[in-house]
Amino acid sequence: MTVPISANPYQDLYIYYLSGRFRPGSAFDPDHYIGCWEEGGFSFLFFTRPNLPLVEKAVAHLQDLVLLDHYHMTYDQWQGGDVTPQRIGRFTISPPWYATALGRSDTTIILDPGVVFGTGTHPTTRDCLEALELAFSGGIPESTLDLGTGTGLLALAAARLGCPRVLATDLTLLAAQTAQRNVRLNRLSRQVLVAQGDAEKFIDFTSDLVVSNIHYDIMKKLIRSTGFLQKRRFILSGLMRSQAARIESTLAGLSVKIIKRWNQNGIWTTFYGEAG
């Protein structure tokens, strides 16, 4: 039985749902504040303690913001289940509040997901980890580009498999901050660089392997870019059935070859392939 060595720091979540972009400046760093997730024209503030008066005061001093609602839920409810150590293929993935030591295995990953999704439980993440193992079995790439990195799990996995240079990017600042924290937890700062920004602005960066577990609307643009076709290998995921069919149709017209496809529950699809 696996027993935690310390308490999960995210036992309870207090979420404040705002209309508008919450930009209070670097001085806003109250106790128990996890961060802000932006989605479209909305913002979600996360705390581990109730803080409604503080949020109301902050909103009152910022333009074009409206507090729409607020919620309380457990961390397990937010993540869709317990966040505990798990084995996926060669990888051992463990939150830092469990006693999983680095160095026990070259494929051990310490992962603090915070409130960002990407613990390894989603079918597309599991398939991407398997696809990474397949990609590395054909030779370790000199560089990997992980677009839409989330918690940084796939970038960390690439580094654990031996890739010396990994660039992990995410559009959402909170995700990039979470990924950077996980890079430090795994002592992989010499191999993994995290950047915040639009995936389309990074696709032209030179890399042997590109990993993209990302929204379809973004992916359909990425695979039509010159930068995508210059990659030697690719892993594409996060695609539902009809989206995967459209991506596969586009790939059929390009100078690429699909080596393997994964389909989970007739819903989620992942592609691993080579270009050139």
Side-chain angles (χ1 to χ4, degrees), residues 80-149:
D82 293 345
V83 179
T84 57
Q86 57 185 312
R87 184 79 177 178
I88 303 175
R90 291 171 56 190
F91 298 100
T92 298
I93 302 167
S94 175
W97 49 90
Y98 280 82
T100 305
L102 291 174
R104 182 183 301 173
S105 166
D106 63 349
T107 50
T108 295
I109 297 172
I110 305 300
L111 194 78
D112 182 350
V115 295
V116 178
F117 296 110
T119 62
T121 58
H122 195 277
T124 61
T125 309
R126 288 176 171 269
D127 288 343
C128 282
L129 289 170
E130 185 178 334
L132 275 172
E133 291 193 56
L134 179 59
F136 277 68
S137 69
I140 296 174
E142 286 297 317
S143 56
T144 297
L145 177 60
D146 179 19
L147 301 174
T149 195

Side-chain angles (χ1 to χ4, degrees), residues 30-197:
D31 292 341
H32 313 299
Y33 178 57
I34 300 174
C36 173
W37 182 276
E38 291 186 1
E39 191 79 33
F42 301 91
S43 300
F44 300 83
L45 310 187
F46 292 87
F47 290 81
T48 56
R49 296 287 189 277
N51 242 321
L52 180 59
L54 183 144
V55 172
E56 289 177 330
K57 182 178 178 180
V59 168
H61 284 82
L62 295 170
Q63 293 184 343
D64 303 320
L65 276 177
V66 177
L67 177 61
L68 300 176
D69 209 342
H70 55 95
Y71 313 92
H72 169 224
M73 65 179 69
T74 68
Y75 186 65
D76 291 343
Q77 286 174 325
W78 175 257
Q79 287 290 358
D82 293 345
V83 179
T84 57
Q86 57 185 312
R87 184 79 177 178
I88 303 175
R90 291 171 56 190
F91 298 100
T92 298
I93 302 167
S94 175
W97 49 90
Y98 280 82
T100 305
L102 291 174
R104 182 183 301 173
S105 166
D106 63 349
T107 50
T108 295
I109 297 172
I110 305 300
L111 194 78
D112 182 350
V115 295
V116 178
F117 296 110
T119 62
T121 58
H122 195 277
T124 61
T125 309
R126 288 176 171 269
D127 288 343
C128 282
L129 289 170
E130 185 178 334
L132 275 172
E133 291 193 56
L134 179 59
F136 277 68
S137 69
I140 296 174
E142 286 297 317
S143 56
T144 297
L145 177 60
D146 179 19
L147 301 174
T149 195
T151 60
L153 175 55
L154 298 179
L156 294 168
R160 282 280 181 250
L161 289 171
C163 184
R165 293 184 292 121
V166 183
L167 175 59
T169 77
D170 204 287
L171 178 62
T172 303
L173 178 59
L174 183 57
Q177 292 169 335
T178 301
Q180 182 58 53
R181 181 168 67 248
N182 285 318
V183 169
R184 290 194 297 267
L185 281 173
N186 287 273
R187 306 168 195 163
L188 288 171
S189 297
R190 292 187 178 183
Q191 287 173 256
V192 184
L193 175 66
V194 179
Q196 187 242 337

